[in-house]
Amino acid sequence: MKAFRLDELEAERAANDGAYLQFLRERNMSVGLYALNAGDRDPQQPHRQDEVYVVVSGRASLTVGTETSDVARGSVVYVPAGTTHRFHHISEDLRVLVVFSPPES
């Protein structure tokens, strides 16, 4: 078993001055913590892997392909591989668990 605490992951991510911290990588998936602060621009490009976002905190809009949805704590969104997607109108600091399958390369 591998167990993690979000507060510790957030501290590690912040200490490394990055918006993304991959903290688990296995044969069929990887998991990371993605952080965007209120007003930030999301620089993401489409990924070659399927993704699942679980919003831990914050508020924003998320556009996936041609669909846009407001997201907040508790939102879960699936993004198919190769699909253009981006968080925007980030009104509260956003913290998101990201699951990639297969693992992000």
Side-chain angles (χ1 to χ4, degrees), residues 50-63:
D50 287 338
E51 295 177 78
V52 173
Y53 289 126
V54 179
V55 178
V56 175
S57 63
R59 291 189 177 280
S61 294
L62 173 62
T63 297

Side-chain angles (χ1 to χ4, degrees), residues 13-91:
R13 185 206 56 79
N16 289 313
D17 292 326
Y20 184 73
L21 171 71
Q22 183 182 92
F23 61 88
L24 179 64
R25 185 178 183 86
E26 297 294 333
R27 191 179 92 234
N28 294 316
M29 62 177 263
S30 61
V31 184
L33 178 64
Y34 189 43
L36 293 166
N37 292 327
D40 280 356
R41 182 185 171 285
D42 183 4
Q44 289 192 79
Q45 298 295 319
H47 301 97
R48 293 181 296 172
Q49 305 83 359
D50 287 338
E51 295 177 78
V52 173
Y53 289 126
V54 179
V55 178
V56 175
S57 63
R59 291 189 177 280
S61 294
L62 173 62
T63 297
V64 178
T66 60
E67 297 180 77
T68 298
S69 179
D70 292 331
V71 296
R73 183 176 182 261
S75 296
V76 180
V77 180
Y78 166 68
V79 179
T83 304
T84 300
H85 60 286
R86 185 169 323 283
F87 290 99
H88 53 94
H89 296 98
I90 303 166
S91 59

